[in-house]
Amino acid sequence: MKPTIYDVASKANVSIATVSKVLNNSGRISDETRKRVLKVIEQLNYQPSMMATALTGKSTYTIGLLIPDMANPFFGELARNIEDRGHELGYNLLICSTDYQPAKEQNYIELLKRKSVDGIILASGFEQTSEVDKLVKEKFPVTIVARDFPSTYVNSVSLDDFQGGYEATSYLIQLGHRQIAIIARDVWSNRERMRGYKKALEDHGLEEYAMFTFVEKSTVEWGKKVAEEYLRSEKPPTAIFACNDLLASGAIQAARTLHLHVPDDVSIIGFDNTIIATLVDPQLTTMAQPIRAMGREVMDLMVGEIKKEEQSKRRIVLSPTLIKRGSTAKLNK
């Protein structure tokens, strides 16, 4: 059984109140008694209950993070940067992966509240504005990252996904491509990237060449499947814009399966600039998200809200950066 505060008090031969004062670094206690209690705590490996701490009205120094897909390197890197910044500020992170399922999102929010976390960070893919509105109404500290909720009064850190989609498509057009296909998932960030893609085609008079498909999952397998369908079509694209690096790496596999050379036969551009981008062959041209800055900004906003440092909410929108590598080239046809 886990040791309790009663076990610590008994072994240290002090009252429960004295143990509590040592844990909270409060009250007048002699150095000798404090050292004795701390030694017993270490010997028993005693850890105060988060729930018990919360019941006293004190901070648990724990923050919940909901991400939609643990298998996507972008969310793994984002979670790591949020956690790193949290540790710098003295907070621990509880991470929950929702698999883009609304029921899981709702269940995890309730679970984290029962765990008495000080606040919750919700990441991209979270489509239920009603759940966010509910947290805001309850005055529960909540912050959004990697997506935007412009209609909800909440702190957020997002990327200008429209700009990213527009720049990625414009770059392919500059290389001479006209038949440009896009692979996306039907989630907020990808819809914004597709909107940028369509706008770039429109601005260059290429609307008639638009080719777009929504996939069920943001995986290599789905990227390969859809890219193969594009490349086997009567008028195959000379370039493919995939809305994340996993889909883009799948598109590279599809080209290889059809004995097409990347980038000579088809150019491929991804999104996120995760570790995947440098592991594929050829290395992937991609739109880089400022993942480190995103993670640090959202944790700073979260802690500021927990500590009630600012009354007004902040909406931070960061810009993506085009990273040119070997998977794109000028059209040679």
Side-chain angles (χ1 to χ4, degrees), residues 1-236:
M1 292 179 59
K2 291 177 62 177
T4 67
I5 192 170
Y6 299 97
D7 298 323
V8 175
S10 176
K11 187 165 184 176
N13 197 27
V14 296
S15 68
I16 295 171
T18 299
V19 176
S20 180
K21 289 177 182 178
V22 171
L23 290 170
N24 294 307
N25 196 28
S26 62
R28 299 180 63 181
I29 303 171
S30 69
D31 287 341
E32 180 184 350
T33 300
R34 186 181 301 278
K35 288 177 182 178
R36 186 167 76 253
V37 171
L38 289 174
K39 184 177 180 180
V40 170
I41 288 173
E42 184 177 357
Q43 288 173 345
L44 296 180
N45 193 26
Y46 170 69
Q47 296 178 336
S49 162
M50 284 174 53
M51 187 68 72
T53 302
L55 288 172
T56 66
K58 298 181 182 298
S59 172
T60 61
Y61 292 96
T62 305
I63 292 170
L65 169 65
L66 265 63
I67 59 174
D69 186 3
M70 189 72 81
N72 187 329
F74 166 73
F75 290 111
E77 292 180 27
L78 178 63
R80 185 194 66 201
N81 282 281
I82 293 173
E83 184 176 41
D84 287 348
R85 180 56 175 162
H87 283 169
E88 291 176 10
L89 299 175
Y91 285 81
N92 295 311
L93 203 64
L94 293 179
I95 304 174
C96 305
S97 183
T98 66
D99 298 320
Y100 290 95
Q101 296 180 22
K104 277 192 173 183
E105 293 169 353
Q106 187 175 359
N107 289 340
Y108 276 132
I109 287 175
E110 293 305 317
L111 173 65
L112 290 170
K113 287 163 69 176
R114 289 198 300 272
K115 292 287 186 182
S116 300
V117 297
D118 294 332
I120 298 176
I121 298 172
L122 304 175
S124 172
F126 202 90
E127 299 288 330
Q128 294 193 99
T129 57
S130 60
E131 287 299 319
V132 180
D133 292 338
K134 183 179 176 182
L135 289 169
V136 171
K137 188 176 181 180
E138 294 173 352
K139 296 184 178 180
F140 192 93
V142 58
T143 305
I144 310 297
V145 66
R147 73 151 299 164
D148 197 7
F149 276 99
S151 62
T152 303
Y153 191 58
V154 62
N155 283 318
S156 67
V157 181
S158 62
L159 186 81
D160 192 336
D161 288 289
F162 171 84
Q163 176 192 346
Y166 188 92
E167 288 187 9
T169 309
S170 296
Y171 175 62
L172 294 173
I173 294 171
Q174 290 169 18
L175 294 176
H177 296 280
R178 297 293 179 268
Q179 297 276 150
I180 303 170
I182 185 172
I183 306 174
R185 182 169 185 162
D186 191 12
V187 293
W188 182 85
S189 59
N190 282 207
R191 291 194 297 269
E192 283 295 292
R193 293 165 198 175
M194 182 178 287
R195 194 166 66 86
Y197 156 84
K198 290 180 177 179
K199 179 61 175 171
L201 292 181
E202 178 186 330
D203 286 352
H204 291 85
L206 301 173
E207 306 100 300
E208 63 183 288
Y209 297 111
M211 302 172 68
F212 50 89
T213 300
F214 282 125
V215 297
E216 289 184 19
K217 296 181 179 180
S218 302
T219 61
V220 173
E221 292 76 18
W222 272 97
K224 183 175 186 292
K225 178 180 183 296
V226 173
E228 276 196 38
E229 292 173 359
Y230 280 147
L231 296 171
R232 290 181 188 274
S233 64
E234 186 177 342
K235 292 184 177 180

Side-chain angles (χ1 to χ4, degrees), residues 237-253:
T238 61
I240 296 175
F241 167 32
C243 283
N244 70 31
D245 293 343
L246 288 172
L247 293 170
S249 63
I252 290 175
Q253 288 185 13

